[in-house]
Amino acid sequence: MGQEFRAKGAHIALSPVAGPLGRSAYAGRNWEGFAADPYLTGVAMEETITGHQDAGVQATAKHFIANEQETARNPVYSKNGTVTDTDVAAISANLDDRTMHELYLWPFANAVKAKAASFMCSYQRINGSYGCQNSASLNGLLKTELGFQGYVMSDWGAVHTGVASIEAGLDMNMPGGLGSYGSAFGVPSYFGGNVTLAVNNGTLDVTRVDDMIVRIMTPYYWLGQDKDYPTIDPSTPDLNTFSPISTWTREFNLTGESSRDVRGDHSKLIRKHGAAGTVLLKNNGALPLNSPRNIAIFGNDASEPSKQLNQNNYEFGTLLAGGGSGTGQVSSLVTPLQAIKERSAQNGTKLVQYFLNNTEIVESDLDDLWIGELPNVCIVMLKTWAEEAADRDHLDVDWDGNAVVENVASKCNNTIVVTHSSGINTLPWADHENVTAILAAHYPGEQSGYSLTDILYGDVNPSGHLPYTIAFNGSDYNAPPTTAINTTGYFDWQSWFDEKLEIDYRHFDAQNISVRYEFGFGLSYTTFNISDVKAEALETNITAHPEERKVMPGGNPALWESIYNVTISLTNSGKFAGAGVPQLYVGFPESTPAGTPPKQLRGFEKVYLEAGETSTVAFELMRRDLSYWDIISQQWVIPEGEFSLYLGFSSRDIVETHKVTVVSA
């Protein structure tokens, strides 16, 4: 991604996402992030930022912070007032100090440690104050506690004051206009000439303006963007549907090669990642496919969409990305139908028939639809849309997909279901005896079909694991978005994070709720065993409190030092080569304050092994991994007592437990 951004002349990538983290299963932008877990998201943030910036492109960690729903994220602008008048304030995300640190700030600390060039502050209010003029989060948490040295840019139109935002830590106002999404140009800006005016009248200290400039320009020179950087591809503005050229108030002279091909051989990597991100949820021996003579494909997700730009939902055509600013234009698309037809032809399949209208499938007697005898395998392709600026209404698949599965499975005793989804689906038909396999393929990108057939035919052994929990019912999830209020006060839209640390698997574990598929779950065509668990302290006389050191990017460097090493032997005990994903969860001592989740992810590795092969896998635990945020001392503290180290293949498939005492009483 970084290479392609650079080659197109883009200096800044508005990526990656740690907010939303995934507090709510219904949040509309969860698909843009990584996982409903701070540790996993933090690892992914650090790796993504490193990748972007190794290519010379500035990364932007967003949306800072507690941006966990789309509904009411912006104020309601007055229809009859000035361009800045509002009738209702945006929603306020209200959370306590410990929850802020242990959940929502955690992955952003990884982003700062990775030296992200910029952070994007979020639309909503945080404990009452707008995210882009919230001094506690921007100056306090980000720039002081975490030692962030880059610049803070606003989300588009998230600025509602001038000097107040600047003094609260905002460095860049995007896109600079007023009103909804900052799209009203040609009128005074909160920044612009008003910054000069504020300095001249003594309202704003010029040293703060100098700080803004240094923060903004330093990454430009640090990443070498001042030397031999590619020009902006002149064709890219035509793809900007948010700010089309017709709305521009300035003329930009874009030179250089237009519509330049920057793809290289990246399709191979996209195909690989699409397969790697596919999670095998169920397999009763149906997969991998073994040269079926007659394949029937059902569902409106199988074929070509009517157009390739995913800005809006559509009924017919495979889904490869969600909607909003996180979507993208693809230059080519391999559909599941195309790939299955190609692959089956190589395997001697005599007939591939397909039925793409969900309504027709639901309302028909399938004996009247398919040709000839009962198909050897029925592949049902389902999809679920999500987009920016809207939260999900339900956790079912879209377009009556549940009824599609039920009708197909009522006749076909070998029904394989594939979902292309924005995230969680409750899958009420998962236990149907004729549903023999389920693949959660998520949003795989332009090589979607090939990524799928690589898994279906066993060319790739599935190794994906769920980054969220699939419950039995939508009502089993806590922390739903605030979607309506019964009062009309200006500040009445409030979201209370009363669940504190209990989101996703932490909630289900703490409340002892049964689930359909737990966080971290994923099947393989082979099997793996864990043995020989060992835990060794890497330091002697480990103290409860970290040594006080000069803050560096990421905060106190002592928090990032490894203090324990856990090793296991991982064995591929099955008949096929494949990648195992052992996971380490930590249970904190009873001395930890109330509200601590029963277990928390603190390590994972993906290890490729041939059949019968064994490898030693190590998990290094940093001081931060074994600490909780103490609201009294305002420090990360390792609690006294016995830790439980849980080793397994998901949050509930724990196969080994080891006890250690890190700090003695």
Side-chain angles (χ1 to χ4, degrees), residues 20 22 24-32 68-71 313 319 322-323 382-399 402 419-428 442-443 468-470 474 477 479-483:
S24 173
Y26 295 84
R29 298 186 79 174
N30 284 352
W31 67 275
E32 295 184 42
E68 297 296 319
Q69 70 170 70
E70 294 301 285
T71 305
N313 196 4
L319 200 55
L382 306 176
K383 60 183 178 180
T384 308
W385 174 261
E387 62 183 344
E388 182 178 359
D391 294 309
R392 294 171 62 186
D393 293 327
H394 58 79
L395 300 181
D396 287 324
V397 288
D398 291 341
W399 306 108
N402 289 339
T419 64
H420 285 138
S421 176
S422 53
I424 295 169
N425 295 123
T426 49
L427 314 178
H442 299 102
Y443 287 159
Y468 48 74
T469 298
I470 297 178
Y477 293 93
T482 301
T483 56

Side-chain angles (χ1 to χ4, degrees), residues 10-28:
H11 296 81
I12 303 168
L14 302 183
S15 161
V17 171
L21 177 67
R23 170 183 181 253
S24 173
Y26 295 84

